[in-house]
Amino acid sequence: MLKRITFLVILVVFAKPVYDEASKFLTDRVPAENVTVETAEPIKAERTSDQQLIETANQTEQIAQATKPAKVENVEQLAEAFFYHFSRLDTEFTIEYRGSTAEIERLLTKATEEAAQRDTYIAGHLSNREMEYEYSKTKATIRVKQSYLTNLQQEKAVESMVDSIVSTAQPEEMTDFEKVKFVNDYIVKNTEYSEESIASSHSAYAVAYEGKGVCQGYALFAQKLLEALGMESMYVVGEVYTGGHAWNLVKVDGEWYHLDTTWNDPVPDRGNGVRYDYFLLNDRDMRVDHSWEAAAYPKAESSTYSFMHVVQDSYEFGDDIYFSHSEDENKLYKLNKTTGKMTKVADVRALYIVGAGDWLYFSNYSKGAYLSKIRMDGTELTTLFKEEVKDLFIEGDYVYFTAESGAKKVAIEGNI
């Protein structure tokens, strides 16, 4: 006689982790004078058309390598069968199991857990699951309804986006450190922490194509990019003070480190503003405000890159990173990526740093947050626009920025 049991598995996706933004500076505002400033036309970052990519997606293509087992007679084969269907993002499937069913519920729980562990990117996109099974002492028919935070079309689009991003990186010429920094910077600069996305905000697709998402989406897309750059990476599930949270572990030059791209992204969003507070941390430093099941992940013990944790609002030029020092009143510093040596460039509080030629442009919080420029050797500090400015970026021959009076641009001709 067959027995029938139905049960529902609710997979929890992570709630929004809230944390305080860095302290704001108080500044005075005065009218601009003796500078040519133009109102800027909006410049929008272009993303590859997701609709074009979706139209070319193969409906039957799986997103990971998996083989359907010829028979399912033990927990390992059962896990392989579940992984096969998970990897294809199958929403309804049936598995015929032949073996002892004395502990059928424990068997199914273990098999689904093992299947998820085979690819944490896929596991991170699993959502609710309903299973119904009919069984006797020696066999079971298992019918599954599985939902996901993504679909085949979206995953095809994510793959295309990853290929496009990686093609700009020249990974064969990059160190492991530079690859991780590239991924961290790309995600932070192009993503706004938000639950208000069209696709699931917990998916890699929302981060890749909408530039919006929550910690789960950040970490899943980071894993996709890191692996595409040849880095060994893991998706980590843990907790912070607000509840469930997700981030990555990544192996750099043979050592494991934590990377939390979500908590490196300022809230409210600051465009090109990037933090490195949670960039290549060891277990000890990460445990200050993160917790996880340590036995499930490799140990991260190195502090090689601890020098990065004071870097904020940076601009790279050659082997040097020019940045705002978060532990020295946001003063302007220079860091050599190879040696880790830091030197102060100028005794000014600088944010929103960008560069052109041998000049740095920034919001000078030592002087009303005015638009200023300085040579990379710390000489010729000059005020360009006497109004509080933010969100600087360079496009062509102009520095674009946002002022109290609106979007503006200043020509950089003659300075480069």
Side-chain angles (χ1 to χ4, degrees):
M1 179 179 177
L2 293 176
K3 299 180 181 179
R4 176 179 293 180
I5 297 178
T6 301
F7 63 93
L8 178 67
V9 178
I10 305 295
L11 300 185
V12 179
V13 291
F14 300 117
K16 178 179 180 179
V18 180
Y19 54 94
D20 294 335
E21 188 190 9
S23 300
K24 306 291 193 301
F25 298 111
L26 297 177
T27 60
D28 298 322
R29 299 184 178 93
V30 298
E33 57 185 68
N34 299 326
V35 63
T36 302
V37 179
E38 303 176 43
T39 300
E41 294 293 328
I43 293 181
K44 296 182 179 179
E46 294 185 1
R47 293 178 182 267
T48 306
S49 169
D50 57 335
Q51 187 58 43
Q52 290 176 350
L53 292 167
I54 287 172
E55 288 172 356
T56 63
N58 183 340
Q59 293 289 330
T60 61
E61 183 173 349
Q62 61 189 57
I63 63 172
Q65 296 296 322
T67 303
K68 187 174 184 178
K71 55 185 179 180
V72 181
E73 298 177 343
N74 53 47
V75 68
E76 290 77 16
Q77 292 171 350
L78 187 57
E80 187 177 345
F82 273 106
F83 179 64
Y84 171 78
H85 292 289
F86 291 166
S87 70
R88 293 165 53 88
L89 300 182
D90 290 336
T91 56
E92 294 188 25
F93 54 90
T94 300
I95 299 172
E96 297 290 343
Y97 172 76
R98 297 293 181 267
S100 172
T101 62
E103 296 181 291
I104 184 64
E105 196 164 317
R106 185 193 64 80
L107 187 73
L108 287 172
T109 299
K110 185 176 181 182
T112 53
E113 288 176 351
E114 288 186 6
Q117 291 171 1
R118 296 188 182 195
D119 190 319
T120 54
Y121 179 82
I122 293 174
H125 284 95
L126 294 175
S127 188
N128 297 340
R129 179 185 313 126
E130 181 181 327
M131 286 196 290
E132 178 183 88
Y133 52 92
E134 295 178 333
Y135 69 101
S136 64
K137 290 183 178 180
T138 58
K139 65 180 180 180
T141 298
I142 306 156
R143 299 181 181 88
V144 183
K145 292 183 179 180
Q146 176 70 56
S147 58
Y148 304 87
L149 304 174
T150 186
N151 57 46
L152 286 171
Q153 298 97 321
Q154 290 178 350
E155 287 310 306
K156 181 69 173 179
V158 169
E159 292 284 357
S160 295
M161 175 66 86
V162 167
D163 289 344
S164 177
I165 294 168
V166 170
S167 70
T168 69
Q170 299 180 320
E172 64 281 353
E173 300 177 7
M174 302 170 73
T175 64
D176 285 356
F177 167 83
E178 289 171 331
K179 290 176 182 178
V180 180
K181 187 174 184 300
F182 174 84
V183 170
N184 181 76
D185 292 3
Y186 180 87
I187 291 177
V188 172
K189 290 179 180 180
N190 290 279
T191 310
E192 175 186 357
Y193 190 96
S194 175
E195 295 179 287
E196 298 178 359
S197 56
I198 297 172
S200 170
S201 60
H202 302 268
S203 69
Y205 179 86
V207 172
Y209 272 88
E210 297 183 51
K212 296 179 180 180
V214 296
C215 61
Q216 201 163 345
Y218 276 71
L220 289 168
F221 191 49
Q223 181 174 342
K224 202 74 170 175
L225 285 171
L226 288 165
E227 291 178 349
L229 287 167
M231 302 296 293
E232 189 174 350
S233 173
M234 297 182 70
Y235 172 77
V236 181
V237 175
E239 291 189 355
V240 291
Y241 66 90
T242 55
H245 189 52
W247 63 94
N248 300 94
L249 274 163
V250 59
K251 185 179 282 189
V252 177
D253 297 327
E255 297 283 351
W256 285 100
Y257 298 88
H258 295 271
L259 172 69
D260 191 339
T261 52
T262 309
W263 279 27
N264 284 334
D265 195 359
V267 176
D269 190 66
R270 289 184 51 206
N272 287 333
V274 181
R275 291 177 181 155
Y276 297 92
D277 305 54
Y278 298 88
F279 180 84
L280 301 183
L281 268 67
N282 58 30
D283 288 342
R284 183 189 66 253
D285 293 335
M286 198 68 171
R287 284 198 183 98
V288 170
D289 44 26
H290 289 59
S291 62
W292 63 97
E293 187 181 344
Y297 303 99
K299 293 181 179 180
E301 299 176 317
S302 174
S303 57
T304 299
Y305 299 102
S306 59
F307 59 81
M308 285 295 295
H309 305 157
V310 298
V311 174
Q312 184 172 306
D313 283 17
S314 63
Y315 169 73
E316 289 190 46
F317 185 79
D319 289 332
D320 294 320
I321 301 175
Y322 293 85
F323 68 98
S324 175
H325 196 303
S326 63
E327 294 183 1
D328 187 15
E329 298 182 308
N330 296 100
K331 299 290 180 65
L332 181 61
Y333 274 70
K334 177 174 71 172
L335 165 69
N336 185 279
K337 293 186 293 185
T338 304
T339 65
K341 180 181 178 181
M342 290 186 192
T343 54
K344 184 181 290 188
V345 175
D347 198 32
V348 293
R349 299 161 71 197
L351 287 176
Y352 304 103
I353 303 166
V354 295
D358 64 349
W359 287 91
L360 301 173
Y361 296 82
F362 58 95
S363 180
N364 186 350
Y365 278 83
S366 293
K367 191 173 182 179
Y370 300 158
L371 176 65
S372 301
K373 69 175 183 177
I374 194 171
R375 288 198 181 274
M376 290 180 178
D377 63 5
T379 63
E380 300 184 49
L381 176 63
T382 307
T383 299
L384 299 177
F385 184 62
K386 293 184 177 180
E387 189 174 319
E388 181 179 355
V389 302
K390 60 181 181 179
D391 301 331
L392 277 66
F393 68 95
I394 290 177
E395 184 82 16
D397 295 329
Y398 290 90
V399 178
Y400 292 82
F401 56 92
T402 302
E404 186 180 36
S405 53
K408 304 289 183 181
K409 64 180 180 180
V410 172
I412 58 176
E413 294 181 65
N415 295 330
I416 59 175

